[in-house]
Amino acid sequence: MRQSQLFPKTRKEAPKDAESVNHKLLVRGGFIDQLMAGSWTLLPLGWRVVTKINQIIREEMNNVGGQEMLMPLLHPKSIWGETGRWGSSEENPLGAKEIMYQFQDSRGKEYALSFTHEEIVMDLLRKNITSYADLPVYVYHFSTKFRNEPRAKSGILRGREFMMKDAYSAHTSEKDLMDYYEKMKIAYAKIFKRLGFKIRITEASGGVFTTNHTHEFQVVALTGEDTIYICDKCEWGLNQEIFKGKEGDSCPSCKKGKIQKAKSIEVGNIFPLGTWYAERMRVYYTDKDGKKKPVWFGSYGIGPTRVMGTLVEVSHDEKGIIWNKTISPFDVHLVELKTENLKLKTEEIYNKLRGAGIDVLWDDREVPAGEKFADSDLIGIPVRLVVSAKTKDKIEWKERISNKVEILSLEEVVKRCKKE
Ligand code: ATP
Ligand code: MG
């Protein structure tokens, strides 16, 4: 991609109302644009990052048998009435009126915009499941979620409209559900490791989804909105909402460590929902003994747009974003410092790299070197290649995370990029 054609340009100043780092840097770098509080466009650079995040999630979902599909976002009131989640939390312990966007069309028919899809999957199951032989079922989709978030402040971390991968599993028994739940926990740990995060898994309440405990995937970050208690020696961790002790207590699990309090960002959450949904929506299957039994159900969410924002929160410096190579919008940033007769034609380098399967952003603009370098640091692609009169028939290689500059031949550059 030629940077002269990239939409939009970078910006020197962050928006005045931007409070969080992800908001400032992602807007300045041209990754996202805010339409109103909690509502964002993923611009071409941001969409590249989210597409890469989604692909990693997709691969790991498919590895545990997930089948990708796509469900609607406009839902009739009636389906939410079946579980009582249309109502408020005063009427029903899982009532979700406060978070759902509910409205009427011009004929007075009531609808909601999707804030999750348990009810929709349950409806699919009751139309398609009859016997134990039809189970288990593992399905997922990537789609927009709408939530009436009272505070939509932390940049793209908290949208009123945002992207989610949500997976759903249906089983014949609690044991089968819990075995799969553990598999999902491992799949989630893999996903976040591949995305470049250090993750803490904490136990938490189920919010408007279940009265059971759930597991959250948390990234420790000073700017996080969640508070978790974690052991300094083992993996033990609880969300503040269900923690009864205090900081400094000894760990109830390993007994050796001390409990620490930390701020964190929740990037994923898995829910062992049980039979609550099946009982209310009459989703039964016939077991081997001929008896009708309710389906056991679980759901599993990750927010790819929040993941992108979280990476920026934990990986940046005063100059800009520092992407890791897994989710960077491009593999390398080729920066051409224009002079009369460059020994090595930048276009040749560009074509050779692309021919080798390397994704290149080529800064071919007629702007001063200082501006090019500042933009390169702001956008944060892990490798910067500079071609100038000074580099003669070689190329300068510099990584975003270091100050070391190396002079390499084109062949060496290609080899290194492929190995990376
Ligand atoms: P929070 O407690 O932060 O409001 P939640 O627990 O209500 O989030 P879940 O229903 O567990 O969210 O959603 C699953 C995942 O979707 C979350 O782990 C997060 O990655 C993402 N997510 C949830 N709400 C938002 C939001 N408003 N904006 C962006 N991503 C979100
Ligand atoms: Mg959650």
Side-chain angles (χ1 to χ4, degrees):
M1 168 98 221
R2 287 168 184 257
Q3 201 168 336
S4 58
Q5 291 165 11
L6 181 64
F7 177 79
K9 292 190 182 65
T10 57
R11 299 194 200 185
K12 289 214 169 54
E13 303 293 331
K16 286 206 175 58
D17 61 337
E19 292 175 14
S20 55
V21 172
N22 79 86
H23 187 165
K24 290 179 191 161
L25 291 180
L26 287 170
V27 170
R28 284 189 52 214
F31 292 79
I32 60 175
D33 177 82
Q34 188 175 45
L35 178 64
M36 58 177 179
S39 173
W40 300 88
T41 295
L42 294 176
L43 294 162
L45 281 179
W47 181 242
R48 275 181 171 262
V49 173
V50 169
T51 303
K52 291 194 173 181
I53 293 169
N54 288 356
Q55 186 53 26
I56 287 173
I57 299 172
R58 177 177 287 121
E59 285 168 19
E60 297 302 336
M61 287 298 99
N62 293 347
N63 277 344
V64 290
Q67 298 181 50
E68 188 170 355
M69 58 181 192
L70 186 59
M71 290 178 273
L73 309 184
L74 184 63
H75 303 163
K77 173 184 178 179
S78 55
I79 201 156
W80 291 97
E82 292 187 51
T83 53
R85 289 212 285 179
W86 181 271
S88 75
S89 51
E90 285 155 27
E91 299 161 17
N92 183 318
L94 301 186
K97 196 173 206 80
E98 293 74 11
I99 198 145
M100 238 192 275
Y101 283 105
Q102 304 179 340
F103 62 95
Q104 287 185 4
D105 70 7
S106 56
R107 290 181 292 273
K109 194 166 158 38
E110 290 182 282
Y111 299 91
L113 291 178
S114 155
F115 83 98
T116 185
H117 278 83
E118 280 80 10
E119 279 77 352
I120 313 306
V121 176
M122 277 288 145
D123 180 59
L124 287 169
L125 290 170
R126 71 181 164 194
K127 289 173 186 157
N128 294 289
I129 296 294
T130 47
S131 99
Y132 67 92
D134 300 325
L135 292 165
V137 169
Y138 313 129
V139 288
Y140 72 96
H141 74 167
F142 289 88
S143 80
T144 300
K145 296 281 179 282
F146 298 88
R147 293 187 181 180
N148 195 351
E149 299 277 0
R151 298 175 55 249
K153 271 191 176 167
S154 317
I156 199 147
L157 296 183
R158 186 169 295 285
R160 295 202 166 105
E161 178 179 343
F162 58 95
M163 188 174 292
M164 198 195 286
K165 181 285 302 175
D166 34 329
Y168 301 86
S169 72
H171 309 261
T172 54
S173 67
E174 182 170 20
K175 179 175 183 315
D176 200 50
L177 165 63
M178 293 318 291
D179 285 351
Y180 190 70
Y181 187 79
E182 287 307 315
K183 260 198 196 170
M184 267 293 195
K185 212 187 270 174
I186 295 165
Y188 266 48
K190 259 199 210 157
I191 289 168
F192 290 116
K193 187 162 179 226
R194 285 182 66 185
L195 292 171
F197 292 109
K198 277 207 194 86
I199 275 287
R200 295 296 305 219
I201 305 179
T202 55
E203 221 172 300
S205 78
V208 296
F209 292 90
T210 178
T211 48
N212 295 337
H213 279 182
T214 70
H215 287 89
E216 292 176 340
F217 293 74
Q218 299 274 5
V219 174
V220 171
L222 287 174
T223 50
E225 288 185 7
D226 278 26
T227 303
I228 55 172
Y229 288 87
I230 48 181
C231 175
D232 63 1
K233 291 258 171 2
C234 76
E235 301 293 301
W236 179 93
L238 286 185
N239 192 302
Q240 151 170 276
E241 55 186 6
I242 62 166
F243 180 64
K244 299 273 177 335
K246 59 179 189 316
E247 215 178 350
D249 285 356
S250 63
C251 171
S253 175
C254 70
K255 317 280 187 217
K256 292 192 199 92
K258 289 262 172 295
I259 294 176
Q260 293 178 331
K261 184 178 177 179
K263 285 297 208 187
S264 62
I265 304 169
E266 181 205 309
V267 284
N269 203 176
I270 58 175
F271 304 80
L273 300 170
T275 56
W276 191 89
Y277 289 84
E279 281 158 15
R280 274 152 195 85
M281 292 188 65
R282 309 201 54 74
V283 187
Y284 291 95
Y285 70 95
T286 310
D287 209 351
K288 286 184 184 136
D289 54 15
K291 287 204 181 105
K292 282 211 174 302
K293 294 178 181 166
V295 161
W296 289 81
F297 197 43
S299 70
Y300 316 86
I302 298 182
T305 42
R306 183 179 285 183
V307 164
M308 172 165 77
T310 303
L311 202 284
V312 176
E313 290 292 324
V314 298
S315 182
H316 65 268
D317 61 15
E318 69 291 346
K319 295 181 192 151
I321 304 169
I322 305 175
W323 296 109
N324 58 51
K325 55 182 185 239
T326 338
I327 63 173
S328 173
F330 290 91
D331 300 322
V332 298
H333 199 171
L334 178 60
V335 177
E336 177 184 4
L337 302 188
K338 301 231 171 187
T339 49
E340 277 302 293
N341 35 20
L342 283 179
K343 274 230 164 101
L344 210 54
K345 293 271 175 295
T346 318
E347 184 148 16
E348 275 168 34
I349 303 174
Y350 179 64
N351 288 337
K352 178 111 191 218
L353 288 168
R354 292 204 332 157
I358 298 154
D359 235 350
V360 189
L361 179 64
W362 168 16
D363 191 348
D364 60 335
R365 300 171 304 163
E366 306 278 349
V367 300
E371 195 175 326
K372 292 197 173 198
F373 291 146
D375 273 353
S376 183
D377 285 337
L378 172 62
I379 294 171
I381 297 167
V383 175
R384 188 184 79 190
L385 302 175
V386 178
V387 189
S388 68
K390 220 172 70 189
T391 57
K392 301 199 178 109
D393 61 345
K394 295 263 166 76
I395 299 167
E396 185 186 295
W397 170 290
K398 186 192 157 296
E399 291 174 21
R400 179 65 180 82
I401 48 166
S402 108
N403 289 321
K404 193 169 120 194
V405 173
E406 294 170 82
I407 305 293
L408 306 175
S409 70
L410 178 54
E411 282 63 41
E412 285 168 321
V413 165
V414 172
K415 220 161 109 192
R416 241 196 230 193
C417 286
K418 281 182 146 175
K419 204 168 56 190
E420 294 260 314

